[in-house]
Amino acid sequence: MLGNLFFRQFLCRESQKIFRVPLRHGHTIRGKRPGVARSLQQRLDEMNYVDPELARKVNIGLPQIKVPRSEQLRERLNHRKLMKNNLEIEKLARLNQLEVDLEDVNEEWLKTSGPFDIRGIADYYEIFDHLYGDAYFIPRVNLRILYPTNTEDCNPVYYGNILSPEDAISQPIVEFDHSFRLPREKDKKDSLWTLVMSTPDGHLRDNTSEYVHWLVTNIPNGNVTKGDTLVPYLQPYPAKGLGYHRYVFVLYKQEDRVDLKDYKISTTKDPEGRTFKTLDFYRKFQDSITPAGLAFFQAEYDDSVREVFHKVFETSVPTFEYVKVEDYVAPQKWFPHRRAFNTYLDMYRDPKQINKEFLERKLAKTHPFNGPEPPCRFPMAHSIKNKPSWLVIEMKKERQGIGRINDYRDW
């Protein structure tokens, strides 16, 4: 084939480069020449074109408070002078013995690139797409959430970490910087906030709806215990068999007190009573609240979820199982061409019966006390004569320990 393969050179007008197109038996390859023909990615982009104006995301969060450039430079200069005059720090850094406080690093990260990194993580988990559609926000306020345990330790909520529903049974401890003020709010001494915990996954009847697990409004100065609890806290209850569910905490900053009595519910025995839609909630109160903080975790079914459905909802646990579709097997033919006789017939037999036959053949050559027969030193040295081709192949595989017989070799 290589002897019949030649190349023709030509000049591409668009890029002024010389291309070599292979020729086979005097005929060029079909299609347009390189540089003119579109690539697969170009064709897909043309077919799936989306107007950038329609796909543009809208920022509904708090604006960034810009620090004057002079103040930034002054702070950097003072920090540099402090580090330069501290001989002890310079010595420890030179000896690779300088210890850095991670809390200081975290605070600096939250002041600089942290909010944008959190937004990127939320985009990766499609938090904004499922909660706000074509909108997003930069979390300007750091939301710190801790689930208490029986010990002194707590289970923190970050940005997508995994917790079990049992870890989130109790109402969490919520802390955030309530001193955040916009330039027009410098004269205000108090601040009001709203906290919502919901899950966009696992709604049992409507895929576009959420379940609200906690809703507290009119939180004064960051004290969640003094806010108006409209929806009492309820631990995560993901259905069995649906994998991990996302549980999202969104903190809203209020311009003034808001009346959310329409969302107030008591302890209900029906999960549908906790149906919630974040987008509709925000659209209704967008003139009074602005999303400011974000945190979320993931959880899947465990035994504590059974208690929720049995005691709170008084129903059984919904269970989802994967139903495997049987492989398609074509109708059997009398004379299949180019198919091994034994493997073709095995397609229409019970796999358990086939495995049983292979196991019986192996046990027949296994001594109850001495174990299996030692393998032949030269398994392919002896020829096989007067046997059909399919049986010859099967015997060779058995000698070499390959094929289906190898599944029972170590028994």
Side-chain angles (χ1 to χ4, degrees):
M1 182 181 293
L2 294 178
N4 297 325
L5 189 64
F6 302 95
F7 293 91
R8 174 184 294 174
Q9 297 183 357
F10 64 90
L11 184 64
C12 179
R13 297 180 180 179
E14 287 79 3
S15 59
Q16 300 297 323
K17 293 183 180 179
I18 295 178
F19 292 90
R20 303 178 68 198
V21 177
L23 294 164
R24 186 174 286 109
H25 299 292
H27 299 282
T28 59
I29 294 178
R30 292 178 296 177
K32 297 181 181 180
R33 65 178 185 272
V36 177
R38 291 173 298 175
S39 64
L40 176 60
Q41 185 61 43
Q42 291 173 340
R43 293 175 64 88
L44 291 175
D45 293 342
E46 182 179 350
M47 294 172 58
N48 303 323
Y49 175 76
V50 179
D51 190 346
E53 288 297 327
L54 298 178
R56 185 171 58 90
K57 300 290 185 178
V58 180
N59 187 359
I60 59 174
L62 295 172
Q64 182 179 6
I65 299 179
K66 296 183 179 180
V67 181
R69 181 66 176 174
S70 59
E71 185 177 344
Q72 295 181 4
L73 294 177
R74 189 182 308 109
E75 184 179 355
R76 292 180 185 177
L77 182 61
N78 294 336
H79 181 73
R80 188 176 302 175
K81 289 182 180 179
L82 180 62
M83 295 295 103
K84 186 176 181 181
N85 296 331
N86 195 328
L87 300 179
E88 185 65 22
I89 293 180
E90 188 274 336
K91 179 180 178 180
L92 293 176
R94 183 161 33 85
L95 298 176
N96 293 331
Q97 298 177 356
L98 181 62
E99 296 181 358
V100 179
D101 189 359
L102 296 181
E103 291 294 334
D104 295 341
V105 175
N106 186 49
E107 290 181 4
E108 185 65 23
W109 174 70
L110 292 173
K111 291 179 181 178
T112 54
S113 64
F116 301 95
D117 295 339
I118 297 172
R119 184 247 168 141
I121 297 173
D123 283 335
Y124 176 79
Y125 284 96
E126 298 183 348
I127 298 297
F128 298 128
D129 292 340
H130 293 164
L131 294 186
Y132 298 98
D134 295 331
Y136 73 95
F137 67 91
I138 306 296
R140 303 294 181 185
V141 179
N142 181 32
L143 188 58
R144 189 165 179 259
I145 300 175
L146 301 172
Y147 277 103
T149 61
N150 296 330
T151 61
E152 296 181 356
D153 299 330
C154 294
N155 295 317
V157 176
Y158 296 116
Y159 313 104
N161 59 312
I162 297 176
L163 297 177
S164 65
E166 187 176 2
D167 295 335
I169 290 180
S170 303
Q171 179 176 308
I173 302 171
V174 181
E175 300 175 353
F176 56 91
D177 183 14
H178 60 88
S179 61
F180 184 89
R181 297 288 189 279
L182 294 175
R184 64 175 182 272
E185 299 177 338
K186 289 185 178 180
D187 298 335
K188 287 188 176 181
K189 297 182 180 179
D190 299 331
S191 60
L192 295 173
W193 307 82
T194 296
L195 180 65
V196 180
M197 175 189 174
S198 64
T199 172
D201 306 319
H203 198 283
L204 299 177
R205 296 185 181 179
D206 186 5
N207 294 332
T208 62
S209 298
E210 312 161 33
Y211 281 139
V212 58
H213 290 261
W214 197 23
L215 175 55
V216 185
T217 186
N218 296 324
I219 301 173
N221 298 325
N223 193 343
V224 180
T225 58
K226 294 184 179 180
D228 300 333
T229 303
L230 302 180
V231 179
Y233 178 81
L234 183 62
Q235 72 164 83
Y237 48 93
K240 187 176 183 179
L242 293 182
Y244 287 103
H245 291 51
R246 298 163 296 173
Y247 294 89
V248 187
F249 293 86
V250 180
L251 180 68
Y252 297 89
K253 190 177 188 306
Q254 300 178 200
E255 296 290 338
D256 204 348
R257 295 187 67 86
V258 293
D259 184 9
L260 304 180
K261 61 181 180 180
D262 295 340
Y263 293 89
K264 183 177 179 59
I265 66 171
S266 58
T267 304
T268 177
K269 296 183 179 180
D270 185 9
E272 300 305 316
R274 290 180 174 266
T275 300
F276 184 78
K277 288 188 177 181
T278 299
L279 183 58
D280 295 344
F281 172 77
Y282 174 74
R283 283 175 174 172
K284 187 175 182 180
F285 301 99
Q286 60 181 341
D287 295 334
S288 303
I289 61 176
T290 305
L294 177 70
F296 62 95
F297 68 96
Q298 303 180 79
E300 64 175 349
Y301 174 86
D302 66 2
D303 293 337
S304 65
V305 177
R306 184 182 295 107
E307 299 293 328
V308 177
F309 279 94
H310 287 180
K311 295 182 179 180
V312 179
F313 300 139
E314 296 183 357
T315 184
S316 59
V317 180
T319 303
F320 297 85
E321 296 181 356
Y322 175 75
V323 179
K324 183 180 179 181
V325 180
E326 296 184 359
D327 298 334
Y328 172 75
V329 180
Q332 190 173 2
K333 299 180 180 180
W334 280 102
F335 302 101
H337 296 286
R338 300 180 181 274
R339 299 295 299 271
F341 175 75
N342 56 336
T343 57
Y344 182 78
L345 293 181
D346 287 346
M347 292 173 54
Y348 303 92
R349 298 175 58 195
D350 186 5
K352 294 183 179 180
Q353 182 65 26
I354 299 174
N355 296 338
K356 179 181 178 181
E357 292 180 3
F358 274 91
L359 183 59
E360 289 177 349
R361 288 167 53 184
K362 177 166 181 65
L363 295 178
K365 298 181 180 180
T366 303
H367 194 274
F369 302 105
N370 299 331
E373 296 180 357
C376 298
R377 185 176 180 182
F378 304 102
M380 303 303 295
H382 305 281
S383 61
I384 303 174
K385 298 180 180 180
N386 301 327
K387 301 289 183 182
S389 60
W390 65 269
L391 185 55
V392 172
I393 296 174
E394 191 70 19
M395 294 175 67
K396 288 182 178 180
K397 288 183 177 181
E398 184 176 356
R399 288 181 179 183
Q400 296 176 346
I402 61 177
R404 292 180 294 177
I405 191 62
N406 196 35
D407 297 338
Y408 307 96
R409 190 172 180 81
D410 299 329
W411 280 40

